Amino acid sequence: MDMVFGRNKEEHPEPIKAEVQGQLPTWLKGILLRNGPGMHTIGDTKYNHWFDGLARLHSFTFKNGEVYYRSKYLRSDTYNCNVEANRIVVSEFGTMAYPDPCKNIFAKAFSYLSHTIPEFTDNCLINIMKTGDDFYATSETNFIRKINPQTLETLEKVDYSKYVAVNMATSHPHYDSAGNILNMGTSIVDKGKTKYILFKIPPSVPEKEKKKSRFKHLEVVCSIPSRSLLHPSYYHSFGITENYIVFIEQPFKLDIVKMATAYIRGVNWASCLAYHKEDKTWFHFVDKKTKKEVSTKFYTDAMVLFHHINAYEEDGHIIFDIIAYTDNSLYDMFYLKNLTKDFEEKSKLTSMPTCKRFVVPLQYDKDAEVGSNLVTLPSTATAVKEKDGSIYCHPEVLCEGIELPRINYDYNGKKYNHVFATAVQWSPVPTKIVKFNVQTKEMLYWGEDHSWPSEPVFVPSPDAREEDDGIVLTCVVKSDPKEAPFLLVLDAKTFKELGRAIVDVEMPLDLHGMFIPEKDLKTETE
């Protein structure tokens, strides 16, 4: 277990040629780039939580039938400060750091209280984002780091808060057909209001402004006021359809006052996040054209979600699929003290991840009776009109036990069939990957003993006609230290193995990433 979670992983900045077994498609050219935590111990100090570890990028490059592996720590300011001090001096969400115990702690505390939200870390360990022809490592703070996807070199730091009033932003942006990036961030107690801000980053800037950052052209699409000034909802992703943004305000909330005093109280920021199971979960739909929110109040029961799968419109309804929990036990599982040798046997989630489909009637008969179901599509999901005019939505359960969902992104915001995901039963560590058909409910699996696969990434074939024409890539870490990790290539249609690229290195479990086709990579001269 320590092999996979606790130990710092070595870097491999120079490419290592992988041993290819089987037959990889000849058209597969580009880079699979992955991100996740890789260093958990610095000097005599250790992070409390697996999600706090210093970011480590790793990649598989496909070139002329050969595969090369690289890995490198993100040289964030956080990394540099910690390594230079040989101890953790920058706080992460699950680990509060006290930079200099000799300094007057009260002076420090007052400087923290003067701005409610402390200076956040730029340890961007969650995902990769594409903006135009640039790539960034991202997390959920206001900082992102530009990187070179070919060499994994760390480039400049971008602070979202210089361009839009957000203190944090998601690591799961969306991309529209014009190449714009849509993302959401939370603005905490700005001018006496706490709100969720939807913003857009253009893929390029006008020729005469080439020297300027494209972030200077960032545009606020709209803002949604938080239902509570001091308890904004935590969210990890959001949904998008052809005409709407889907935002879920869940009762998994940050306590701003607790966050402001966490430093003096000697607790981590994670302890300021609480699940209010007696509250409702509210759905917000923003019309992309008018930039206005749909006025009807739609809600469901309390739940915790991290990942939206997809959303689309059909006959006046918005249909969206998410993975939801009935509690917040998932985060607690990954405290390093819980990641012991018998973690797989011992660690049991108290809530199984459940794939839920909500069907929300945007156009409905305003004279419908109270208590009537307004959904007119064939689905077991319902939307019932309440006395006060609000609408209570109850989902259809599509399946259980899947996480880290991916789709063919060409079908994002459209009616679709297939989800590629990791299979997790009551343990949070995936042992299989799955292909799930949301229409027929058919489930195909790939798994192998002692294998922990990562989030599966779908890559369409160049002449794809159907949604699942292509391949699925996943990095497989072995829980047996004698076995080498590998990159697995599956036929997305049949879910059968085409080949694998084996690398004799210690590969970490990672979180998210993307496949970058060769055509999207800059040549050396650029």
Side-chain angles (χ1 to χ4, degrees):
M1 182 57 61
D2 199 44
M3 284 286 300
V4 180
F5 284 110
R7 244 197 9 236
N8 293 348
K9 304 294 184 284
E10 266 182 67
E11 292 186 300
H12 302 93
E14 295 306 316
I16 295 173
K17 190 174 175 184
E19 179 202 333
V20 176
Q21 293 180 354
Q23 205 58 51
L24 306 189
T26 50
W27 54 262
L28 182 60
K29 294 183 175 107
I31 296 175
L32 176 70
L33 181 55
R34 308 282 307 159
N35 197 354
M39 187 187 291
H40 290 88
T41 308
I42 300 147
D44 298 331
T45 56
K46 201 170 186 160
Y47 286 112
N48 296 330
H49 200 280
W50 187 65
F51 295 161
D52 292 342
L54 292 174
R56 183 179 182 276
L57 302 163
H58 65 148
S59 67
F60 286 90
T61 302
F62 303 89
K63 211 172 184 171
N64 310 326
E66 294 179 337
V67 182
Y68 295 89
Y69 179 77
R70 259 196 173 97
S71 67
K72 205 170 163 102
Y73 283 104
L74 183 77
R75 295 305 196 265
S76 58
D77 293 356
T78 297
Y79 175 97
N80 293 331
C81 289
N82 286 345
V83 169
E84 196 178 323
N86 197 31
R87 58 192 284 264
I88 297 167
V89 291
V90 181
S91 297
E92 297 293 333
F93 196 63
T95 308
M96 190 62 84
Y98 293 89
D100 190 342
C102 312
K103 290 250 170 75
N104 180 338
I105 189 155
F106 289 103
K108 187 79 190 161
F110 283 119
S111 76
Y112 264 61
L113 285 168
S114 66
H115 47 245
T116 315
I117 297 301
E119 176 75 358
F120 274 139
T121 174
D122 68 337
N123 177 28
C124 302
L125 78 152
I126 299 179
N127 207 349
I128 307 292
M129 173 173 93
K130 180 183 192 303
T131 63
D133 47 14
D134 293 332
F135 295 87
Y136 291 84
T138 65
S139 67
E140 296 188 320
T141 72
N142 50 306
F143 295 115
I144 57 176
R145 286 301 303 225
K146 190 173 173 181
I147 53 169
N148 177 328
Q150 280 141 312
T151 63
L152 307 186
E153 188 189 349
T154 305
L155 305 167
E156 62 264 28
K157 174 161 93 167
V158 173
D159 179 355
Y160 276 138
S161 66
K162 288 201 170 113
Y163 309 101
V164 57
V166 295
N167 306 94
M168 23 193 144
T170 89
S171 225
H172 288 286
H174 281 283
Y175 306 88
D176 68 15
S177 52
N180 294 297
I181 287 172
L182 287 161
N183 203 1
M184 287 192 70
T186 302
S187 178
I188 293 173
V189 202
D190 178 45
K191 302 184 179 68
K193 290 189 173 70
T194 295
K195 48 191 182 284
Y196 312 109
I197 292 180
L198 177 71
F199 59 91
K200 184 159 95 176
I201 306 165
S204 56
V205 293
E207 196 57 49
K208 60 179 183 294
E209 296 186 36
K210 268 284 182 269
K211 290 212 163 59
K212 276 190 185 170
S213 159
R214 65 168 56 84
F215 295 95
K216 282 207 163 64
H217 293 265
L218 184 150
E219 173 198 333
V220 171
V221 177
C222 77
S223 63
I224 298 167
S226 166
R227 293 183 70 84
S228 160
L229 178 70
L230 296 173
H231 295 90
S233 176
Y234 167 79
Y235 53 100
H236 184 77
S237 61
F238 61 100
I240 187 168
T241 69
E242 190 186 345
N243 298 295
Y244 294 91
I245 302 296
V246 180
F247 172 63
I248 299 180
E249 192 173 11
Q250 59 183 351
F252 189 28
K253 298 176 183 176
L254 285 164
D255 184 319
I256 301 308
V257 175
K258 279 187 176 171
M259 279 189 87
T261 58
Y263 187 86
I264 13 178
R265 291 185 297 119
V267 297
N268 64 12
W269 290 317
S271 68
C272 309
L273 193 57
Y275 178 48
H276 303 263
K277 59 177 184 288
E278 64 293 333
D279 288 2
K280 296 180 170 87
T281 299
W282 296 91
F283 299 155
H284 300 272
F285 304 102
V286 175
D287 185 317
K288 287 194 223 165
K289 290 189 188 73
T290 65
K291 302 178 182 179
K292 297 270 189 295
E293 194 183 336
V294 172
S295 58
T296 310
K297 299 276 180 275
F298 296 97
Y299 73 93
T300 190
D301 302 319
M303 63 180 179
V304 172
L305 81 139
F306 299 96
H307 295 116
H308 280 253
I309 301 173
N310 200 2
Y312 60 94
E313 295 160 47
E314 190 175 348
D315 295 339
H317 298 70
I318 285 181
I319 295 167
F320 63 89
D321 299 339
I322 59 168
I323 291 171
Y325 296 82
T326 53
D327 65 26
N328 58 328
S329 63
L330 182 72
Y331 183 83
D332 294 341
M333 289 264 146
F334 286 94
Y335 275 105
L336 288 175
K337 65 175 191 284
N338 298 333
L339 301 176
T340 52
K341 273 196 187 65
D342 43 7
F343 175 67
E344 266 188 295
E345 291 76 58
K346 271 200 174 155
S347 293
K348 292 283 177 273
L349 287 163
T350 49
S351 162
M352 169 89 84
T354 305
C355 179
K356 294 182 174 181
R357 166 164 290 187
F358 286 91
V359 181
V360 178
L362 287 192
Q363 294 158 16
Y364 60 91
D365 177 6
K366 300 291 182 271
D367 301 324
E369 281 180 37
V370 169
S372 58
N373 175 22
L374 306 173
V375 174
T376 55
L377 295 175
S379 171
T380 56
T382 58
V384 174
K385 186 176 175 181
E386 306 275 296
K387 272 201 188 74
D388 62 1
S390 65
I391 293 171
Y392 168 66
C393 302
H394 189 76
E396 173 186 346
V397 172
L398 298 179
C399 71
E400 286 192 320
I402 67 168
E403 245 304 355
L404 302 174
R406 295 290 291 252
I407 59 167
N408 175 345
Y409 202 78
D410 293 340
Y411 287 75
N412 191 45
K414 304 183 177 113
K415 191 166 183 173
Y416 76 116
N417 291 307
H418 304 292
V419 184
F420 303 98
T422 54
V424 280
Q425 289 307 312
W426 290 100
S427 162
V429 175
T431 51
K432 292 187 174 83
I433 52 169
V434 300
K435 175 190 182 184
F436 175 64
N437 187 318
V438 293
Q439 311 295 344
T440 66
K441 315 289 191 287
E442 183 194 11
M443 185 96 76
L444 297 176
Y445 291 92
W446 177 90
E448 203 171 88
D449 288 349
H450 314 298
S451 294
W452 290 353
S454 69
E455 165 197 63
V457 174
F458 175 81
V459 183
S461 58
D463 51 358
R465 286 198 174 80
E466 292 181 331
E467 186 186 337
D468 56 355
D469 282 344
I471 57 164
V472 169
L473 301 174
T474 179
C475 303
V476 181
V477 173
K478 305 299 279 188
S479 55
D480 179 349
K482 291 193 274 301
E483 296 182 55
F486 56 92
L487 174 82
L488 177 71
V489 183
L490 298 178
D491 179 321
K493 229 182 205 11
T494 61
F495 228 52
K496 295 272 187 286
E497 179 171 342
L498 293 172
R500 57 179 67 185
I502 303 163
V503 277
D504 197 7
V505 298
E506 267 194 76
M507 199 158 75
L509 279 177
D510 57 27
L511 290 169
H512 296 292
M514 63 164 54
F515 180 77
I516 308 167
E518 197 174 53
K519 64 176 173 43
D520 292 350
L521 292 163
K522 292 181 189 173
T523 55
E524 293 304 315
T525 51
E526 289 176 274

